[in-house]
Amino acid sequence: MANKPYGFFDDSSREFVITNPATPFPWINYLGNEEFFSLISNTAGGYSFYKDAKFRRLTRYRYNGVPMDNGGKYFYINDGGTVWSPGWKPCKTALDSYECRHGMGYTRITGSKNGIEASALFFVPLHTWAEVQKVTLRNLGNEARTVKLFSFVEWCLWNAQTDMENFQRNLSTGEIELEKNDAFTAVYHKTEYRERRNHYAVYSVNVPVDSFDTSRDAFLGAYRDASNPVAIENGKCSNSIASGWYPIASHQLTVDLAAGESKTFVFVLGYCENPQDEKWESKGIINKKPAEAMMDRFATNEAVEAAFADLKKSWDGLLSHYTLESNDEKLNRMVNIWNPYQCMVTFNMSRSASYFESGIGRGMGFRDSNQDLLGFVHQIPERARERIIDIASTQFEDGSCYHQYQPLTKKGNNDIGSGFNDDPLWLILGTTAYIKESGDFSILDEMVPYDNDESKAQTLFHHLKVSLDHVTNNLGPHGLPLIGRADWNDCLNLNCFSNTPGESFQTTENQAGGVAESVFIAGMYAMIGKEYVALCNQIGKEDEAARAQAEVDKMEQNILTHGYDGEWFLRAYDFYGNKIGSNENEEGKIFIESQGFCVMGGVGVETGEAEKALDSVKDRLDTEYGIEAIFNRI
């Protein structure tokens, strides 16, 4: 692997191994599988949340920071005044060795310095609202050593957006509780628990500690940051209890290691809820029973290893549903490991949280979540069924829908609203993919509300019908679908104009006129409309199938008449009726999206237009690195 400057794939372990911490950009993994999730980079950056990265954020992360990837779940070692971290950051002390292994739902980071090795395993156990961190220190030398181990996380005040805004309030609300006994030491974050919350967070270690800090100012010191905390420099914390300002959690352990000896410690970062009438243990003291039960589950190394084995076994099962054996090592790797893993990650989070999407400005995408079903439905069809119902519940009675919804409430998020006119069609495709895989036609009879209003509930099949009809009822002057705010390309805002600085181009109200049309949505309609027709025929709704087929036939003809440019399919017509993605354009002559969907929809397959379009893709968009999305060269 010497010719790989940053790392390599270890297919036998289903891991990507990073050997140089200074990667061009943080290389991250996504932990979690049901309701609790963490993002972690190859240098232990990242954050954790319960269900919703906006409304239930446990730990802080600083986006767009300089240097990048600031904030995470850090461990420090003070070895006689030499301070370092196994993940290199935040100290960035040069290490003697470094390795990060991103696996299926876990990350293991190992570093060594001056004869001491530190390894941290991060994972979210199955059916658990917590991230477990197993830290092992090993003396590689021939003499006894004593080192100081420190942990560090910074609490987010739950709502990740207001956490960054309302400082005159936030700096007065942070609240901490500490519990220290012979079995564990736990820092509880209970901001707003007295006033309006039934949940708190906890960060614990399964041994007594020598010292702790819960105040960021006390831990870091004035004019310092996470790279050089004063507590680490001093070799101990100050036992601070935060009251307002900036609550954190840090444990400090003094670790004696004989020659060749290893010692393991278990840290748990968790989320807990209490019923309203069981919030308090006594006056002002939170009910810690759920947290203590969680910590008891992972009190020993053996218990952690068993939970880790269960996680790996679960992934063995998920990845066993479909296996490819070919002569192409890279194809096998992607199909058998990383593509299904990515599909499960996108199902869990639907792009709502990443290092590019802050988890604040959006929730789960209507379009995105339906697309995600296509990649994972064979792995967990029962969860796919639930997701389809959740998605459809955010639809409106005319077939339109919220562009996104909050995973915590499962209600539509109006920050962006609706008007993305490709969205409804994806519900049809997601549902038919589920039925093909599961054979479960009963889902079509499920009563599903519109806009989460049970008084407006109709069958899921009715939702599919109005999804198709929403396109049919919103056509432009060429008989092609109106684009609305945007289609699959959210940046192609042909109707959205703004003359006001600071106003979002994407969310400003559409211009009136009903002129901007999407050939991409037209191709989608041809493709997905045929899926709908086949479904109707399968369930005995021949009249509805015939009605829909007639609309699909008209759409195909409109595409060939008004959406074909002689050698390829147009992309759109803009607000002024001008062609987009035409040979007449000086720039942006051909777009990949409309070629793909029109051909998949069968448009021009029998008459030659589809073949010409694909030849144009090969001629104008194909490169040695893959196909470009848009042709801009003159």
Side-chain angles (χ1 to χ4, degrees), residues 31 50 123 152 284 479 524:
L31 315 182
Y50 168 75
F123 72 101
F152 174 70
M524 276 186 70

Side-chain angles (χ1 to χ4, degrees), residues 220-238:
L220 294 182
Y223 304 106
R224 294 180 180 233
D225 57 33
S227 68
N228 62 342
V230 68
I232 313 295
E233 188 176 290
N234 292 337
K236 63 178 181 180
C237 296
S238 60

Side-chain angles (χ1 to χ4, degrees), residues 75 77 84 86 108-112 116-122 133-140 147 149 253 255 257 260-267 301 304-305:
F75 292 100
I77 290 93
W84 57 279
R108 190 189 303 270
I109 299 174
T110 304
S112 69
I116 297 294
E117 180 185 83
S119 180
L121 171 66
F122 303 82
Q133 306 161 355
K134 188 184 80 166
V135 178
T136 300
L137 300 183
R138 183 158 66 108
N139 182 356
L140 304 177
V147 298
L149 173 66
L253 310 173
V255 185
L257 295 169
E261 184 182 13
S262 297
K263 288 186 178 179
T264 296
F265 308 95
V266 180
F267 296 81
N301 186 36
V304 172
E305 284 300 316

Side-chain angles (χ1 to χ4, degrees), residues 10 23 157 196 236 277 282 309 327 335-336 338 353 364 366 410 428 489 532 554 575 583 585 590 592 604:
D10 181 351
T23 50
L157 303 185
R196 59 181 184 175
K236 63 178 181 180
D277 58 351
S282 59
N327 295 324
V335 172
N336 295 333
W338 295 103
M364 307 280 277
F366 188 99
K410 296 186 178 182
I428 300 174
N489 183 345
Y532 178 78
K554 284 192 289 186
F575 174 76
N583 198 40
N585 300 136
I590 176 174
I592 187 60

Side-chain angles (χ1 to χ4, degrees), residues 282-301:
S282 59
K283 186 175 181 180
I285 305 299
I286 60 176
N287 177 1
K288 302 181 181 67
K289 289 181 180 178
E292 290 169 349
M294 181 186 294
M295 290 182 280
D296 286 344
R297 280 182 58 199
F298 307 107
T300 65
N301 186 36

